[in-house]
């Protein structure tokens, strides 16, 4: 580290570190892409004066709104950015949405996946997002995050493999595809087994082992569709009977056809797919038992409420129950093929209303939603600790910051709470600057 490097001091009437109390009249000092100091403006300025011999020059940039860690989008498919027409329509069922999606995806004309993916990443940066869990299903789209210098993980999607074809060539194909992604300069790679209904039990058993052997994380669509819900009592004897005989099932669809009452979450749990290195998207159809399993396995749920409405998942995710029971949570937009925007604050606003409608009575809702779209997203990808940690503003963390044009009133505790509520309910579109590792990547304030 260059001890004489210039320090940039960002000040704001409200700084939200997430890993500490909110700071009124706050400041964040940044050097060499890391947070050097964070605290009240007076305290940080005094620390910089004390450090004058080592700190180098100080450049001050003032802001009148609030500052948060860079936001984290915990579930998206950036390559589908050019398929926004699908996400702007309404559908009577999930299958109807799927058919509309496939009509474009499977059409013979070439899709500019790389250009679409890069454009989606740029849109996220302009909304204050600095990291994402991006699922790629076409190789040319795999460098979306690196195109904007973003953090996060690119998950390679694996789907539509039956057991026989997978055993014959699936593993070889997967390993070859991962090598191609690495050759594109992508270093943070994960594996996304698409969903229980699109893969046989063979690949679902193998993929977690492969990911764990390679030191990769996993991300699964789970509990999204009505068919994934559990249904008890089962036509089979009980849950134990299907669990003990799980080797007989070719896949989740086979299990459902046999009349078993198991949910998709319970099925994947029996296959040992779930664990603390996994996060799932949607989690709409999740019973109390399903939610217990997810908590026990340390699995974070990326909630995508706007996508669920467009794809007609027939109900909303039980966010109030998730919050009350203590499940790890994050927020995702999904793609523009199932959602009107890539701004996680749009989904946070919906989640706020859903939690209230479902009976959540905690006074901490705004705080928890802010955590979900920052540190919660980082936790879902294992990026919340260590020297590369994100989703937080503390000393030594990556200097990922987002600046929002939200009126700040901190004249009383209630006024502060009202400011935070205004942010989570109406903060969409208010980002004016985004910083990744100390570099200004989007700026409508100082330029």
């Amino acid at each position: 580290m260059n001890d004489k490097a210039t320090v940039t001091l960002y000040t704001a009437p409200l700084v939200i570190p997430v890993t500490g109390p909110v700071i009124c009249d706050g400041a964040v000092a940044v050097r060499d892409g890391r947070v050097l100091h964070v605290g009240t403006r007076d305290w940080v300025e005094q620390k910089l004066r004390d450090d004058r011999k080592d700190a180098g020059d100080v450049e001050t940039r003032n802001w009148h709104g609030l500052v948060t860690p860079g936001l984290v989008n915990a579930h998206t498919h950036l390559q589908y950015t050019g398929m926004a027409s699908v996400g702007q329509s309404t559908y009577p069922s999930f299958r109807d949405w799927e058919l509309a999606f496939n009509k474009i995806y499977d059409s013979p004309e070439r899709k500019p996946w790389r250009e679409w993916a890069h454009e989606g990443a740029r849109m996220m940066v302009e909304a204050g997002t600095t990291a994402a869990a991006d699922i790629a299903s076409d190789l040319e789209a795999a460098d979306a995050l690196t195109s904007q210098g973003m953090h996060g993980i690119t998950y390679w999607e694996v789907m539509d493999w039956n057991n026989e074809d997978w055993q014959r060539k699936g593993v070889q194909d997967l390993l070859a595809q991962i090598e191609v992604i690495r050759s594109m300069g992508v270093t943070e790679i994960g594996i996304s087994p698409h969903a229980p209904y699109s893969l046989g039990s063979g690949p679902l058993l193998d993929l977690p082992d492969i990911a764990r052997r390679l030191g990769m994380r996993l991300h699964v669509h789970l509990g999204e569709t009505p068919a994934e819900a559990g249904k008890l009592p089962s036509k089979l004897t009980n849950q134990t009977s299907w669990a003990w005989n799980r080797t007989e099932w070719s896949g989740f669809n086979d299990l459902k056809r046999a009349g078993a009452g198991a949910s998709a979450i319970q099925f994947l749990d029996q296959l040992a797919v779930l664990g603390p290195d996994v996060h799932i998207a949607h989690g709409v159809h999740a019973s109390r038992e399903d939610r217990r399993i997810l908590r026990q396995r340390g699995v974070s749920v990326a909630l995508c409420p706007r996508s669920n409405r467009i794809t007609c998942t027939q109900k909303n995710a039980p966010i109030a129950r998730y919050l009350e029971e203590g499940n790890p949570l994050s927020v995702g937009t999904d793609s523009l093929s199932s959602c009107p925007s890539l701004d996680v604050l749009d989904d946070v606003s919906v989640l706020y209303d859903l939690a209230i409608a479902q009976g959540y009575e905690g006074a901490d809702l705004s705080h928890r939603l802010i955590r979900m779209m920052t540190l919660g997203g980082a936790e879902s990808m294992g990026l919340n600790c260590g020297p590369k940690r994100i989703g937080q503003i503390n000393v030594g963390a990556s200097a990922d910051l987002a600046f929002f044009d939200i009126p700040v009133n901190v004249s009383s505790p209630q006024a502060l709470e009202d400011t935070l509520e205004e942010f989570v309910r109406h903060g969409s579109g208010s980002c004016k600057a985004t910083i990744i590792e100390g570099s200004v990547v989007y700026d409508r304030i100082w330029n």
Side-chain angles (χ1 to χ4, degrees), residues 24-331:
C24 301
D25 190 19
V28 183
V30 173
R31 182 176 66 184
D32 287 332
R34 302 281 179 182
V35 176
L36 179 63
H37 298 298
V38 58
T40 63
R41 178 170 183 169
D42 288 346
W43 183 85
V44 173
E45 288 178 336
Q46 182 61 53
K47 287 291 290 182
L48 292 176
R49 286 192 291 270
D50 294 342
D51 296 343
R52 187 176 303 161
K53 292 181 180 179
D54 300 320
D57 296 331
V58 176
E59 177 186 355
T60 300
R61 296 184 175 185
N62 301 315
W63 174 233
H64 63 257
L66 60 82
V67 179
T68 73
L71 307 186
V72 181
N73 190 326
H75 177 68
T76 191
H77 304 251
L78 291 174
Q79 73 172 76
Y80 303 146
T81 298
M83 296 173 62
S85 60
V86 181
Q88 292 168 358
S89 300
T90 57
Y91 304 91
S93 70
F94 184 86
R95 179 56 178 164
D96 286 291
W97 171 83
E98 191 175 41
L99 291 171
F101 176 92
N102 290 340
K103 184 177 181 180
I104 295 178
Y105 186 87
D106 294 333
S107 62
E109 63 269 15
R110 177 191 173 276
K111 283 69 166 192
W113 295 126
R114 190 168 191 263
E115 292 84 350
W116 285 356
H118 289 195
E119 173 65 9
R122 184 192 62 78
M123 293 169 68
M124 288 204 302
V125 166
E126 293 183 358
T129 298
T130 59
D134 181 39
I135 296 177
S137 53
D138 289 85
L139 286 169
E140 60 184 290
D143 66 345
L145 299 181
T146 57
S147 75
Q148 303 298 313
M150 298 177 69
H151 296 120
I153 297 175
T154 299
Y155 291 89
W156 178 244
E157 188 164 58
V158 182
M159 66 183 298
D160 294 335
W161 285 94
N162 61 41
N163 295 334
E164 293 74 20
D165 289 341
W166 175 260
Q167 187 173 25
R168 180 171 53 87
K169 61 177 299 211
V171 176
Q172 301 94 304
D173 283 3
L174 172 62
L175 296 178
Q177 290 155 348
I178 289 173
E179 284 308 308
V180 172
I181 296 172
R182 284 192 174 124
S183 73
M184 298 169 68
V186 180
T187 58
E188 298 295 332
I189 306 171
I191 296 175
S192 177
H194 173 256
Y197 56 82
S198 63
L199 289 165
S201 56
L204 285 172
L205 280 165
D206 286 348
L207 287 167
D209 291 348
I210 294 169
R212 288 159 183 158
R213 188 164 61 245
L214 296 175
M216 295 179 176
R217 296 183 69 87
L218 295 146
H219 183 31
V220 188
H221 298 78
L222 190 58
E224 179 183 13
T225 64
E228 295 174 73
K231 185 178 181 181
L232 295 175
S234 168
K235 293 179 182 177
L236 300 179
T237 306
N238 52 39
Q239 179 175 321
T240 303
S241 67
W242 71 261
W244 276 106
N245 294 302
R246 63 186 180 274
T247 54
E248 298 179 7
W249 309 113
S250 65
F252 181 67
N253 296 332
D254 186 24
L255 186 69
K256 295 292 285 189
R257 281 191 292 269
S263 70
I265 291 172
Q266 292 161 19
F267 178 70
L268 287 196
D269 189 47
Q270 288 295 324
L271 297 182
V273 174
L274 304 178
D277 54 353
V278 180
H279 82 285
I280 70 168
H282 302 293
V284 173
H285 296 275
S287 66
R288 180 180 294 274
E289 173 63 9
D290 293 330
R291 299 192 299 271
R292 181 199 65 78
I293 289 171
L294 295 175
R295 285 195 306 279
Q296 188 168 338
R297 307 298 178 237
V299 176
S300 177
V301 183
L303 300 173
C304 312
R306 291 182 300 148
S307 176
N308 299 150
R309 290 179 175 179
I310 287 174
T311 59
C312 293
T313 54
Q314 294 188 3
K315 61 185 293 188
N316 294 307
I319 178 173
R321 305 293 86 79
Y322 278 132
L323 288 169
E324 291 165 352
E325 295 166 10
N327 285 75
L329 297 174
S330 51
V331 185

Side-chain angles (χ1 to χ4, degrees), residues 34 375 378 382-392 394-398:
R34 302 281 179 182
L375 187 59
L383 300 176
N384 57 308
C385 296
K388 295 183 179 181
R389 65 189 183 278
I390 61 172
Q392 56 207 284
N394 54 37
V395 175
S398 180

Side-chain angles (χ1 to χ4, degrees), residues 336-393:
L336 290 188
S337 69
S338 69
C339 195
S341 82
L342 296 176
D343 191 335
V344 293
L345 277 160
D346 280 317
D347 282 282
V348 164
S349 176
V350 174
L351 288 170
Y352 183 98
D353 292 339
L354 283 176
I356 297 297
Q358 292 175 7
Y360 186 76
E361 297 179 346
D364 60 349
L365 182 56
S366 296
H367 295 261
R368 296 186 73 174
L369 288 167
I370 292 170
R371 189 189 191 284
M372 284 167 57
M373 65 177 172
T374 54
L375 187 59
E379 289 173 341
S380 73
M381 292 182 280
L383 300 176
N384 57 308
C385 296
K388 295 183 179 181
R389 65 189 183 278
I390 61 172
Q392 56 207 284
I393 306 176

